[in-house]
Amino acid sequence: MSSLPYHCVCCIIPSRMLRQLAEAAHLSEEERACLLDQCELSAHLRGQRSVMPTLAATQRTGEQRRTIYDARHKTTLPGRVVRTEGAAAAKDAAVNQAYDNAGVTYDFFHTVFQRNSVDNKGLRLDASVHYQRNFNNAFWNGQQMVYGDGDGRLFHGFTAAIDVVAHELSHGVTQYAVPGGLVYEGQSGALNESISDVMGSLVKQWRLQQKAADADWLIGAGIMAPSVGKALRSLADPGNRTLTWSGDDQPKNMADYIQDGDVHSNSGIPNHAFYATALALQGHAWEKAGPIWYKALGLLTPNASFADMARATAQAAVLLYGSDTAEQYAVQRAWQLVGVQLESS
Ligand SMILES: [Zn+2]
């Protein structure tokens, strides 16, 4: 369907990380082969993006409609229905976590941005748990959330981490909120990733009612074994391996931009710009910095660069708070800090 906005199969764990873990960890040949298979699968899933069949009709009710499926360790989606909206908790913790965290994410977008689900038209939130066996990833496939259980050795599963769930659902928001979506490669791809990290962190802070200065600003804390690391990424200090994991290569300034780098790497630059804006504006990050970033989404085009995002957020700050305001200056200074020029070159 050519009218569908551009969407991606966006995995929370980059293939690069799986490959690196396969090389570094003390694994059996079997475990190593399994990890490398999962890299292949991630690449394959990404290649599938334009030919995804429609899984389920959208429910445009304006109300939350969550449906959790059990893929029963297979790759066929969505699987068997195990919990529907309003139904009692299941015995399966992954089912309840996927359900609850999708609910918090929905409530965040609805309460903070007055957005009605990912498409702003009440799209039902479908999620499948127990995807494949020992699958070390979670992803949004353009239509639904999909969660592996992790292999229990490197990763513990993904449904318990609210920021991971919100990160993935936010790929859906980007798909609809940016006119035409954001192409998942180069700077637009890194922006796509960054917006999901920003929203993922905001949802976590909102649930914890944390001020910007008190938040950990980590993505994926708690999903991995201590031998792997503490988190996937830090918005406060991208590339700081003591806060994250041993292969974290995120730059936080354009001077260190990685040419042809992974979208999960270069996203450190816009991530840090958001963090700097939120810290400068103090208080809760979702009260001022969040709305500026959210409003900017509607001003982007599918191939937007970091400079386009800098201009869009500066413009959004003016639209929301006026010119010559603390909000406008905070945005401008944050992009300066990460080395992104607001003026066209
Ligand atoms: Zn992502």
Side-chain angles (χ1 to χ4, degrees):
M1 286 171 66
S2 55
S3 60
L4 275 176
Y6 184 93
H7 67 76
C8 55
V9 174
C10 309
C11 293
I12 190 77
I13 309 294
S15 299
R16 197 183 70 80
M17 183 175 190
L18 293 174
R19 212 172 297 120
Q20 209 159 319
L21 290 172
E23 285 161 12
H26 304 286
L27 301 175
S28 69
E29 275 313 305
E30 204 176 319
E31 289 167 324
R32 195 182 317 277
C34 177
L35 272 179
L36 292 172
D37 267 0
Q38 291 175 9
C39 296
E40 293 282 310
L41 182 65
S42 302
H44 173 70
L45 287 167
R46 274 182 66 177
Q48 261 187 341
R49 63 197 169 201
S50 55
V51 291
M52 274 298 302
T54 301
L55 290 165
T58 58
Q59 200 74 26
R60 301 187 185 279
T61 60
E63 285 174 3
Q64 210 175 139
R65 267 288 296 271
R66 290 164 289 180
T67 308
I68 311 300
Y69 300 84
D70 185 347
R72 294 194 276 181
H73 305 293
K74 298 197 165 53
T75 51
T76 311
L77 293 172
R80 184 182 60 179
V81 175
V82 283
R83 190 171 174 191
T84 54
E85 188 65 45
K91 286 197 182 112
D92 184 334
V95 169
N96 298 328
Q97 288 162 348
Y99 180 90
D100 292 342
N101 284 332
V104 174
T105 305
Y106 177 95
D107 288 343
F108 168 84
F109 277 102
H110 195 247
T111 307
V112 177
F113 301 137
Q114 294 76 53
R115 186 177 186 85
N116 181 13
S117 194
V118 299
D119 63 347
N120 202 18
K121 290 176 180 168
L123 183 77
R124 47 184 286 178
L125 301 179
D126 292 346
S128 299
V129 298
H130 305 311
Y131 179 76
Q132 248 205 15
R133 233 170 249 291
N134 299 321
F135 188 66
N136 287 313
N137 229 330
F139 59 93
W140 165 260
N141 73 358
Q143 279 148 327
Q144 68 157 109
M145 292 290 323
V146 184
Y147 301 99
D149 295 323
D151 59 6
R153 182 188 155 105
L154 299 172
F155 292 95
H156 303 308
F158 304 91
T159 45
I162 179 84
D163 51 334
V164 168
V165 174
H167 172 107
E168 293 302 332
L169 281 170
S170 296
H171 279 305
V173 171
T174 296
Q175 173 184 327
Y176 288 98
V178 175
L182 266 181
V183 176
Y184 201 59
E185 60 190 21
Q187 290 197 8
S188 57
L191 277 179
N192 196 327
E193 266 309 305
S194 173
I195 290 159
S196 276
D197 277 355
V198 163
M199 295 302 165
S201 187
L202 283 181
V203 171
K204 180 172 152 183
Q205 292 174 38
W206 182 72
R207 193 181 61 174
L208 297 170
Q209 289 294 301
Q210 274 178 333
K211 294 202 165 136
D214 302 326
D216 67 13
W217 293 94
L218 295 172
I219 298 296
I223 65 170
M224 62 190 81
S227 61
V228 175
K230 294 179 188 149
L232 294 170
R233 295 179 285 278
S234 162
L235 284 76
D237 194 9
N240 182 333
R241 295 177 176 183
T242 57
L243 295 174
T244 58
W245 68 288
S246 63
D248 184 358
D249 69 344
Q250 281 207 307
K252 59 178 175 182
N253 191 288
M254 281 308 282
D256 302 311
Y257 182 81
I258 305 166
Q259 289 301 331
D260 304 317
D262 190 299
V263 292
H264 299 85
S265 299
N266 285 323
S267 55
I269 295 167
N271 273 0
H272 197 54
F274 180 79
Y275 166 82
T277 303
L279 264 277
L281 294 174
Q282 302 179 329
H284 296 122
W286 64 85
E287 285 172 352
K288 285 186 169 175
I292 291 170
W293 250 243
Y294 178 71
K295 192 168 187 67
L297 299 186
L299 307 173
L300 297 175
T301 56
N303 290 297
S305 64
F306 291 176
D308 291 328
M309 184 62 175
R311 284 188 286 274
T313 49
Q315 193 185 338
V318 171
L319 289 170
L320 289 170
Y321 302 105
S323 30
D324 291 328
T325 53
E327 290 80 6
Q328 186 197 355
Y329 295 135
V331 170
Q332 288 172 343
R333 273 196 292 267
W335 289 105
Q336 262 165 24
L337 175 77
V338 301
V340 173
Q341 303 292 329
L342 268 86
E343 304 307 319
S344 317
S345 51

